Amino acid sequence: MPSVTATARRAVAAGLSAAAVLALTTGCHGHTGNRPEEPATAVSPATPSAVLPDTGPPPPGPGGHTPCTPEMLRFHAGAPHRPDRRMLLTVTNYSDRTCDFAAQGYPLLRFGDGRQPTLPVIEDSKPRTTVVLAPDATAYATVLTSAAGGPHGRGPHGGKISQFGVTLAAGTAPTQVGLDRAPVRVDPHTAEVTYWQPTLDAARKW
């Protein structure tokens, strides 16, 4: 019959084995004790693709529309009116955009070489509102080729021309416009031009 001492020793050994198994099982299930937890990895939101700014159409001029430019227009210089010191300049918008002459209300014309100044405007011809040209619309300006009662281009400063330069803004290159009935006598020192007119009847008043 085993002694009491031997029995006690076997009980202690069994208890130690059970404690070891329990510690091993706890470690396998991820118990970390006092070890600090690793921080969660932050995920940045998706960066949106860079979008180029939409510049859109050209900025509007003072009148709220696109300024008329030579590339949008077709010019025509008509035969002189009666009396013969008048001729008609027409301009038609053949683009698909509406434009206006708010920035420069009358054509800048130059007879002769580039040293000649542009023709002065007849201030009384200024219309009440800025001339606006829709696609396919036409505006008009009357050109007085010499002063009333003057030499009509026959004096020392006069001469005949078959074309002349037109600009729509100061400092820009002129567009050459040929006359449909050339040559025409002009006096660049006394010639004048009206503001752009919205109708043919308004232009013929001058």
Side-chain angles (χ1 to χ4, degrees):
M1 180 174 182
S3 64
V4 175
T5 302
T7 301
R9 288 176 178 174
R10 286 195 294 269
V12 171
L16 293 174
S17 297
V21 170
L22 178 61
L24 180 61
T25 303
T26 303
C28 292
H29 281 79
H31 181 70
T32 59
N34 294 328
R35 187 179 64 185
E37 295 183 359
E38 295 181 0
T41 303
V43 179
S44 300
T47 303
S49 301
V51 178
L52 295 177
D54 183 8
T55 57
H65 299 283
T66 299
C68 294
T69 61
E71 295 77 15
M72 305 170 66
L73 308 174
R74 182 176 291 111
F75 298 90
H76 176 260
H81 292 284
R82 294 293 179 185
D84 61 1
R85 70 184 192 94
R86 288 178 172 85
M87 66 179 175
L88 185 68
L89 175 65
T90 64
V91 60
T92 301
N93 179 6
Y94 69 94
S95 74
D96 58 358
R97 292 177 294 162
T98 298
C99 66
D100 66 29
F101 294 108
Q104 176 60 50
Y106 60 91
L108 301 175
L109 309 185
R110 182 175 280 112
F111 293 157
D113 57 36
R115 294 172 296 181
Q116 294 287 347
T118 57
L119 301 188
V121 67
I122 302 172
E123 289 294 344
D124 290 343
S125 68
K126 187 175 182 178
R128 292 184 178 180
T129 59
T130 298
V131 172
V132 177
L133 279 185
D136 297 324
T138 299
Y140 310 85
T142 294
V143 182
L144 304 183
T145 58
S146 64
H152 305 296
R154 296 180 178 83
H157 301 297
K160 294 181 179 181
I161 63 168
S162 58
Q163 66 178 16
F164 56 91
V166 180
T167 57
L168 301 179
T172 59
T175 299
Q176 294 299 316
V177 179
L179 303 175
D180 64 358
R181 185 182 298 173
V184 172
R185 290 186 178 274
V186 299
D187 183 352
H189 290 77
T190 61
E192 298 175 290
V193 64
T194 67
Y195 278 84
W196 290 114
Q197 306 295 317
T199 65
L200 183 57
D201 288 340
R204 284 176 171 167
K205 295 178 180 178
W206 304 96

